[in-house]
Amino acid sequence: MNIFNIIDEIEKVDPEITERLNPRRAAIKNITSFGSKVAVAALPFALGTMLKRAYGAASTTDVVGVLNFALTLEYLEAAFYNQGFASTGLIPSGNSDYIGVIRRDENAHVKFLQNVITSLNATPVQASTYDFTGGNNKGNGPFKDVFTNYATFLAVAQVFEDTGVRAYKGQAPVLLGNQTVLTAALSIHAVEARHASAIRKLRRDLNQAPNNKPYIVSSASLGNDTGLSLVDANYAGEENVTQGGVNLVTALNVSTEAASAAFDEPLTKDQVTSLVVGSFIVQ
Amino acid sequence: MKTDINPISGGANMARRSFLRYAGAGAAAVAVLGATACHKDRVMVDPVNGSDIGSGDIGILNYAYALEQLEAAFYTQVVATPYSGITNLELTYMTDIRDHEVIHREFFKAALGTSAIKQLTPDFSKINFSSRDNVLATAKAFEDLGVQAYDGAGYLIQSATYLTIAGKIVSVEARHAALIANLINGGSFVSSDQVDANGLNGSKAIADVLPIANAFLKTKVSASSFNYTI
């Protein structure tokens, strides 16, 4: 495949292609120098992206769609921690600061996203009704004791945080090149990852999950490292060790555990929706 | 102090050789295209003692590669000469993080191929590797810097594929940053030096990150296409 032939072909119907691609022209050449089979595998996708950028970046509608999706998840997380703090005797006083800063951040994310969406002359989605037992408003889901058993509460917290990291990551390409919104989304993404790390460490330190690491350590056959098979789908794909077309385990002679933990994996919007709607988010 | 060993393979160049062999066929074809088309993205190397990351997405990948080289070299030394009083669990964490950073480094090296900046020589003369406080404070500085660097450069990436890869790495760096913060002071994983009142992690421009990284590098890294010259 020769990308320059493709550009030439486009030039026949659109003489201004070079103008349109400029200064994106550099990007075209970049993908041809990605040094391995990576580039070849990624070429059709990358080309589509470049043409999209050349002919117009993501529409405001797309950007608002991402922000409202993010807001939907932040409502979920904020409500979860708010309800946790409202549940007498759930969070030990010695942990209230530790969990409290996470609650503070999730509520701040809600406000921030509402403001950004409003500033784009769009309407923020409304909060939903939640059932943190995962029972879709029956209150009788698999996590029945989520607000009476601290171990269950932290297990659900870990799943929400890890899933949130994956959700933001999956939306980044929609925001390609958008300095303001992409940077903000990446900044929230990093904070969710800090939360995930902290919850994971806390569960280990409390001996609730004695083998937990602050990062997701998958085996070759299972992305989920929580020991809770109920949430396998939340971690599906985390076992990936192939990055940019290169199998890191084979190429670097490292363990699957190290290679999978070194990279977090994205989830699509549809994947995330199916994980939370009709269970935690009442439908 | 030898900091360029590959702690995973145990040998200096084993992993690199196998990686290049693996990637070899694709690289040859790509190199031909690159020779005719890559003038703008040529990586400039200062013959004295510096390296310029270049421009475009190659520049950003080299930027990440430079930071990962620094982190990998640091944790390699931490694991080779653990600080006084290190616990088994702390050593496990340091070893895990070292492995992640080495994988990141080797990934970028392979991905960049002939466009990669050279191997950087670290300058850790100001770090007291026997002191827990000093090692963890340095680790925190590097992890926080890494997160801010990736977050600050994300919008400059032109390829969705590369942006996703950067996203896959930055959240792992943020997990490290939170872990190190918690080791220093339990509960400080989103302290106000890193996370603002909106719940946003800080981000930094390339021109603000590299001077900090360069303080720990004998080989100085510049980014002339991104407003940072040495």
Side-chain angles (χ1 to χ4, degrees), chain A residues 103-177:
Chain A
R103 175 200 194 188
R104 174 204 67 195
D105 289 344
E106 307 299 9
N107 282 286
H109 293 163
V110 166
K111 282 208 182 88
F112 176 77
L113 289 167
Q114 287 173 331
N115 288 339
V116 174
I117 293 166
T118 304
S119 75
L120 293 170
N121 296 319
T123 308
V125 291
Q126 298 289 310
S128 309
T129 305
Y130 305 100
D131 178 353
F132 292 107
T133 73
N136 196 28
N137 218 21
K138 296 192 184 67
N140 198 27
F143 305 103
K144 277 188 282 296
D145 58 354
V146 62
F147 292 122
T148 54
N149 181 338
Y150 190 46
T152 305
F153 176 78
L154 289 183
V156 173
Q158 177 179 322
V159 175
F160 280 163
E161 297 294 348
D162 282 336
T163 304
V165 173
R166 303 191 70 181
Y168 274 95
K169 202 185 317 295
Q171 295 304 301
V174 182
L175 305 174
L176 193 77

Side-chain angles (χ1 to χ4, degrees), chain B residues 20 32 160:
Chain B
L20 290 177
V32 174

Side-chain angles (χ1 to χ4, degrees), chain B residues 175-217:
Chain B
R175 289 173 186 272
H176 294 167
L179 168 59
I180 298 291
N182 271 332
L183 291 177
I184 294 172
N185 181 13
S188 68
F189 54 96
V190 282
S191 56
S192 59
D193 65 323
Q194 298 303 315
V195 178
D196 70 14
N198 287 319
L200 305 186
N201 202 98
S203 56
K204 270 197 170 68
I206 295 173
D208 295 325
V209 169
L210 285 178
I212 299 170
N214 278 338
F216 295 94
L217 289 168

Side-chain angles (χ1 to χ4, degrees), chain B residues 76-83 129-130:
Chain B
T76 297
Q77 188 64 40
V78 170
V79 172
T81 56
Y83 52 78
F129 282 94
S130 67

Side-chain angles (χ1 to χ4, degrees), chain A residues 1-4 22-40 42 45-46 49-50 53 97-99 101-102 104-105 108-109 112 115 161-162 165 169 172-180 182-184 186-191 193-198 200-201 204-205 212-216 238 240 242-248 250-255 257-259 261-266, chain B residues 6 8-9 14-16 18-19 22-24 26-27 29-31 33-34 36-38 40-41 55-59 61 89 92-94 96-97 99-104 106-107 110-115 140 143-144 147 150-172 174-179 181-183 186-191 194-203:
Chain A
M1 184 184 303
N2 186 334
I3 191 172
F4 299 104
N22 214 345
R24 304 297 169 216
R25 227 174 149 72
I28 294 174
K29 280 123 190 198
N30 285 348
I31 61 167
T32 62
S33 57
F34 193 31
S36 69
K37 60 173 63 172
V38 180
V40 180
F45 184 52
T49 302
M50 281 185 301
R53 281 183 56 77
D97 287 351
Y98 197 98
I99 305 297
V101 291
I102 301 180
R104 174 204 67 195
D105 289 344
H109 293 163
F112 176 77
N115 288 339
E161 297 294 348
D162 282 336
V165 173
K169 202 185 317 295
V174 182
L175 305 174
L176 193 77
N178 188 325
Q179 180 171 7
T180 304
L182 176 62
T183 305
L186 288 173
S187 298
I188 297 178
H189 171 247
V191 170
R194 286 176 179 271
H195 294 168
S197 170
R200 283 173 162 270
K201 182 174 186 296
R204 182 185 184 117
D205 293 347
N212 235 14
K213 293 285 185 68
Y215 16 84
I216 302 169
E238 282 289 354
N240 177 40
T242 299
Q243 302 299 343
V246 177
N247 183 313
L248 300 173
T250 312
L252 292 176
N253 192 26
V254 297
S255 69
E257 288 72 17
F263 290 77
D264 281 337
E265 297 295 324
Chain B
N6 183 319
I8 291 180
S9 68
M14 282 295 289
R16 188 173 310 143
S18 62
F19 210 159
Y22 183 87
V30 162
L33 276 174
T36 58
C38 262
K40 284 181 72 173
D41 298 305
S55 64
D57 279 0
I58 292 294
L61 295 177
L89 182 57
T92 298
Y93 286 145
M94 295 300 147
D96 285 348
I97 298 176
D99 289 352
H100 302 163
E101 307 298 6
V102 168
I103 289 170
H104 294 162
E106 295 300 308
F107 167 75
L112 283 156
T114 55
S115 297
K140 174 171 159 53
E143 297 293 351
D144 288 342
V147 175
Y150 277 100
D151 279 358
Y155 82 94
L156 296 168
I157 299 175
Q158 295 162 346
S159 146
T161 306
Y162 298 162
L163 175 59
T164 298
I165 287 175
K168 290 179 180 202
I169 293 175
V170 67
S171 57
V172 174
R175 289 173 186 272
H176 294 167
L179 168 59
N182 271 332
L183 291 177
S188 68
F189 54 96
V190 282
S191 56
Q194 298 303 315
V195 178
D196 70 14
N198 287 319
L200 305 186
N201 202 98
S203 56

